[in-house]
Amino acid sequence: MEPIVKNFFQDQFLKPGILKCHCSKCQLDILLLALNQLTPRYTSTTQGEAYIKAIYMNAQMQSDVLKELTKAVSVIEANPNH
Ligand SMILES: [Zn+2]
């Protein structure tokens, strides 16, 4: 899960430069928060490589990842931990 979320985060949030803060602490907090929301939802059904492939190919999963990242960004930006 983690590399996928990281990739999404870099492409959708870091590269466009829409984050209020780009420090490593905020980035890590956002990633961890999103991962905490996503991991329990998917690890029970699929595992390992099959799981990672499923996410890359599944539009619903991709939109879930984006949704949780967006939520995590607003939570962390409202309460930065740096
Ligand atoms: Zn920060």
Side-chain angles (χ1 to χ4, degrees), residues 46-55:
T46 31
Q47 283 184 348
E49 259 180 65
Y51 167 61
I52 290 170
K53 273 184 200 154
I55 291 192

Side-chain angles (χ1 to χ4, degrees), residues 21-27 80-82:
C21 177
H22 286 84
C23 80
S24 57
K25 183 95 182 79
C26 286
Q27 288 184 32
N81 209 1
H82 50 210

Side-chain angles (χ1 to χ4, degrees), residues 65-76:
V65 169
L66 271 183
K67 202 170 67 188
E68 293 302 339
L69 273 173
T70 306
K71 260 199 268 177
V73 165
S74 50
V75 170
I76 299 303

Side-chain angles (χ1 to χ4, degrees), residues 41-68:
R41 207 178 303 165
Y42 292 132
T43 41
S44 56
T45 50
T46 31
Q47 283 184 348
E49 259 180 65
Y51 167 61
I52 290 170
K53 273 184 200 154
I55 291 192
Y56 270 121
M57 298 187 315
N58 187 309
Q60 179 60 49
M61 286 188 183
Q62 289 184 13
S63 87
D64 281 356
V65 169
L66 271 183
K67 202 170 67 188
E68 293 302 339

Side-chain angles (χ1 to χ4, degrees), residues 16-34:
I18 57 174
L19 294 179
K20 279 184 195 158
C21 177
H22 286 84
C23 80
S24 57
K25 183 95 182 79
C26 286
Q27 288 184 32
L28 190 66
D29 283 346
I30 291 165
L31 283 173
L32 288 179
L33 188 61

